[in-house]
Amino acid sequence: MPRVIVGLIFSPGLRSFNRHGIIYLFIAVFFLLAGCRFSPAPEPRSNYLVVGIESNPLQLDPRYSTDANGVRIGGLIYNSLLRADERMRLQPELAERWTAPDAQTYLFDLRRDAKFHDGKPLTAEDVRYTYESILDPKSRSPKRGMLKPLDGIDVLGPYRVRFRLSAPHAPFLEQFTIGIVPVGSPGAETNAMPPPGSGPFMLESVNSGEKVTLKANPVYWEGKPSLTGLVFKVVPDALVRVLEFKKGAIGFMQNDIEPDVLPWLERNTQASVAAHQGTTFQYIGINLTHPILRQRKVRQALALAIDRDSIIRYVLKDSVTPASGLLSPLNWAFDESVPQWPYDPQKAKRLLDEVGYPDPDGDGPRPRFRVSFKTTNIDLRRRIAEAFKEQLARVGVELEIRSYEWGTFYNDVKKGNFHLFSLAWVGVADPDIYFQLFHSDSVPPIGDNRGHYRNPEIDRLLEAGRAAVDPAQRKIIYGRVQKLLAEDLPYIPLWWWKNVVVQAPHVRGFVPYPDGEFISFKKVSLSP
Amino acid sequence: MKRYFFQRLLLLLPTLLGALTLVFFLIHLVPGDPVEVMLGETASAADKEELRRSLGLDRPLLAQYRSFLTGLLTVDLGRSLSERASVSALIRARFPATFQLTFCAMAVALLLSFSLAAMAARHRASWIDRAALLFSLFGLSLPNFWLGPMLMIVFAIQLGWTPVSGRGGLGHLVLPSLTLGLGMAAILTRILRAGLLQAIREDYVRTARAKGLSESRVWLKHTLRNALLPVITIVSLQFGSLLAGSIITETVFSWPGIGRLTVQAIQARDYPLVQGCVLVIATTYLLVNFLTDIFYRLADPRIHYGK
């Protein structure tokens, strides 16, 4: 090969590239490229919508999927007994009717027109099989722990099923949103495609790391979707996703878009860009075993020293809304009377003086105290951390930023190896999540009370909230929880991320869901 | 010669074993727990313990290492902890993409560097030479994470000649191959130019010219051949590292190759997948090095191996 090229360059006809040389060059290039195996160029498929996603969905089988894209794409393939609507209220899906005869029993009558993608009808046996296969220890399903309150499932007829709980457990309703698979579906120990579902779209192909293609279910019980299909294209780089959109190779994106590029998208493309209130909650976690941070006034001073509005405006370009706590305004248990911590550096300084951390040299370089702040090595996270550092320095607190690769960072957080860290809770639905995060019994490894927060009053309320079944009573209980936590500050609330939807002008009918679900693709159409 | 190659071939095995052993223990030292990744945050401690036991992760590290080696002997790389597939199936799905990109990037690099170096050497100190050196300087200075998006903006967005990213037809290969190939071409151009300039001053070249050989024969047979040895070393090293997956280029161009798979496996602490990827990468690297030795002999018959 090099001979051919060099032969071209040094051939007697070098100065005027001879005809034979050019032929040699073409032959050489042809053989080089022919050595590669090419897959055929993807044809633009008619009436298919291409959705850009950041990462490869890991599991689509609803018994195993926990990654965001796996859950969202799986939600189009599988139906569940209940499903949250666009206002986060649980609505019947496969259930035609459902009742709770007592606090420990749920009775479901299934739709009779629901069929799996292989044509078999979906029955109560399939529902029982799905849940029992999750409970089987051999299945290694990550959802097994969530079904712990389940005592048994009884099939009362081909389309009637009863769930019995061992004790009243109001948050169990969330578990009825698990997708249903047919009896006999193999577990994760197989290379086979995920089992068929009964949802509006059927799985056509999975190309690991590349794309997942779905096609419309022609006999879907709600009617065949308008789209012929959907292609979820994996484009890991945020900038490249935007370029793909500009080129027209992607018609839809949701979230995972750098805030900086949103104004550019609006100026340079015909994209419709819309931001909707989301439920993902960003916070600063605090280690309450730290001798300084365990003092409530110190935590309050830190909350007062953070200028959220500036960060939201200049770093996050209004892609978030300031948060008062874990539950977003979309949650039925949200208490709007809980105040947000304002930016008040003077008050923060006074509080720190009061608790015995005076500034040793006024505006000089010596701090009142020094704490570390852990975050991931993602550029946006580091920029936000720099803003915190600068803002806390104004009240005399030195923040030492430590950014790590995700696995290392998360491991430190779970082990309590931190002073301060920032993370987000995604998919917050039932307020029982407070139990997992702040109950004294939820200290790792059992729960996620990573800051070791202990408050007997909170414990009592969270136990009452879990046992109560009446939503009105639960709302009162969790309202009290929200107020207490806003005062006590085991977390410093930062913001709720908006769901940012970018779609091409020909995409019609997408309804955003607070948790970023894709289910409304079943109603989406493409205008010519 | 034969004996030498046979010895080298045998040496591949302990080298491979060394690399795998190192990675096995290193990945277990890195903070993070695959059970946490698999079961999520809501799993009970008992469930996590049970899964740890069923995966054999509760056993002493040396016992796990023994099982890993036994698996290797039976060509069983195990199952991925994060995806619904066996490790070998995932690697089989991704490796062709990396191979394709590597091959085309090397083609770009060889075409460019041989042409530029030869022209630069032949027209030394001319504007052609300076342009080739300037190209080389730029090629070495521009990082792939910048060059990739720039090429996309110009060729895919402004001119509309190529797709932006992804794997598919020939068009999809152009930009990632250029991105990877330009950097390599820059290094090769410098080395080959220097080698050619050194060789052309040698006495045997003067003799060849005095014998009345044609200029192309002088350059091809007497100059280029003698300048090739360092180039072969660099090409083989680069070829090996490209086959190990170019993580940045694969990420920028959404190219579903082995590099991205390895990063994904490390992030998920998917031990079997990490080990499987390393096995493939190390084997490839060693084989390429082995082949390089053979090429050395072909390029320079004076080289003798062993007695």
Side-chain angles (χ1 to χ4, degrees), chain A residues 60-120:
Chain A
L60 294 172
D61 186 328
R63 297 169 297 170
Y64 300 94
S65 55
T66 50
D67 63 299
N69 285 326
V71 170
R72 287 169 187 165
I73 297 171
L76 293 164
I77 303 170
Y78 301 93
N79 283 141
S80 46
L81 292 170
L82 306 177
R83 190 190 284 268
D85 66 10
E86 64 272 23
R87 294 173 64 191
M88 292 184 69
R89 296 167 308 191
L90 288 176
Q91 302 290 354
E93 190 175 57
L94 284 173
E96 208 162 44
R97 282 180 304 278
W98 66 285
T99 52
D102 59 62
Q104 289 171 244
T105 313
Y106 296 94
L107 195 61
F108 291 90
D109 286 304
L110 306 182
R111 307 186 62 87
R112 285 156 195 261
D113 52 355
K115 285 193 171 113
F116 287 112
H117 299 148
D118 58 4
K120 290 182 187 152

Side-chain angles (χ1 to χ4, degrees), chain A residues 1-3 5-7 9-12 14-15 25 29 31-33 35-42 56-59 61 63-64 66 137-138 140-146 148 186-195 208-210 233-237 239-240 243-244 246-247 405-408 410-412 414 425 436 445-446 448 450, chain B residues 30-33 36-45 47-48 50-51 54-55 79 82-86 89-90 93-94 96 99-100 103-104 107 110-111 114-115 118-119 122-123 149 152-153 155-157 160-170 172-173 196 215-216 219-220 224-225 250-252 254 256 260-261 264 266-267 269:
Chain A
M1 173 65 213
R3 268 171 179 257
I5 303 165
V6 179
I9 307 301
F10 296 114
S11 64
L14 167 72
R15 286 177 192 161
L25 179 65
V29 172
F31 278 110
L32 264 176
L33 296 181
C36 311
R37 190 178 62 82
F38 292 107
S39 46
N56 194 31
L58 298 177
Q59 292 274 4
D61 186 328
R63 297 169 297 170
Y64 300 94
T66 50
K138 286 186 206 143
R140 299 177 185 173
S141 165
K143 301 190 175 174
R144 188 168 166 237
M146 295 187 282
K148 212 176 220 171
E189 293 289 307
T190 169
N191 285 354
M193 291 272 272
S208 176
E210 212 171 332
K233 185 173 181 183
V234 183
V235 184
D237 191 284
L239 173 67
V240 178
L243 293 177
E244 289 272 22
K246 165 85 176 153
K247 172 101 177 165
E405 170 268 338
W406 165 256
T408 308
Y410 192 46
N411 197 52
D412 273 359
K414 280 186 299 183
W425 281 106
Q436 183 189 334
I446 294 163
D448 294 313
R450 294 157 182 161
Chain B
V30 174
D33 183 359
E36 296 272 359
V37 176
M38 287 174 80
L39 290 187
E41 309 213 12
T42 52
S44 69
D47 283 349
K48 286 179 188 170
E50 197 176 291
L51 179 57
S54 76
L55 292 174
R79 292 195 63 78
S82 55
E83 286 207 51
R84 188 190 177 93
S86 67
L90 283 171
R94 300 288 192 97
F99 189 76
Q100 191 182 38
F103 209 85
C104 292
L110 290 176
L111 277 169
F114 273 76
S115 318
M119 285 198 281
R122 195 180 157 93
H123 305 280
M152 280 178 195
I153 289 169
F155 293 103
I157 302 294
W161 291 351
T162 64
V164 177
S165 75
R167 187 181 179 220
L170 267 176
H172 287 86
L173 263 167
L196 287 171
E215 194 65 1
S216 64
W219 277 95
L220 265 178
L224 179 70
R225 195 157 187 177
E250 285 185 0
T251 303
V252 168
S254 318
R260 257 175 69 203
L261 185 68
Q264 176 197 312
I266 293 170
Q267 282 173 344
R269 301 295 185 263

Side-chain angles (χ1 to χ4, degrees), chain B residues 245-266:
Chain B
S246 173
I247 292 158
I248 292 172
T249 309
E250 285 185 0
T251 303
V252 168
F253 285 95
S254 318
W255 195 261
I258 204 91
R260 257 175 69 203
L261 185 68
T262 311
V263 171
Q264 176 197 312
I266 293 170

Side-chain angles (χ1 to χ4, degrees), chain B residues 150-285:
Chain B
M150 287 305 121
L151 290 177
M152 280 178 195
I153 289 169
V154 175
F155 293 103
I157 302 294
Q158 301 293 340
L159 299 171
W161 291 351
T162 64
V164 177
S165 75
R167 187 181 179 220
L170 267 176
H172 287 86
L173 263 167
V174 175
L175 296 185
S177 304
L178 271 178
T179 307
L180 274 177
L182 285 178
M184 285 190 297
I187 301 170
L188 290 177
T189 304
R190 286 185 94 91
I191 290 169
L192 188 61
R193 175 188 169 274
L196 287 171
L197 286 176
Q198 195 180 350
I200 201 72
R201 284 196 292 264
E202 296 289 341
D203 288 342
Y204 54 77
V205 173
R206 196 178 307 125
T207 309
R209 280 185 173 140
K211 280 196 299 182
L213 291 182
S214 69
E215 194 65 1
S216 64
R217 201 162 169 78
V218 167
W219 277 95
L220 265 178
K221 187 145 183 160
H222 296 273
T223 314
L224 179 70
R225 195 157 187 177
N226 287 293
L228 265 184
L229 278 186
V231 175
I232 291 176
T233 312
I234 302 290
V235 167
S236 71
L237 283 173
Q238 287 181 332
F239 197 69
S241 64
L242 282 182
L243 278 175
S246 173
I247 292 158
I248 292 172
T249 309
E250 285 185 0
T251 303
V252 168
F253 285 95
S254 318
W255 195 261
I258 204 91
R260 257 175 69 203
L261 185 68
T262 311
V263 171
Q264 176 197 312
I266 293 170
Q267 282 173 344
R269 301 295 185 263
D270 191 338
Y271 295 160
L273 191 52
V274 173
Q275 284 152 9
C277 289
V278 170
L279 174 71
V280 171
I281 289 168
T283 310
T284 313
Y285 217 99

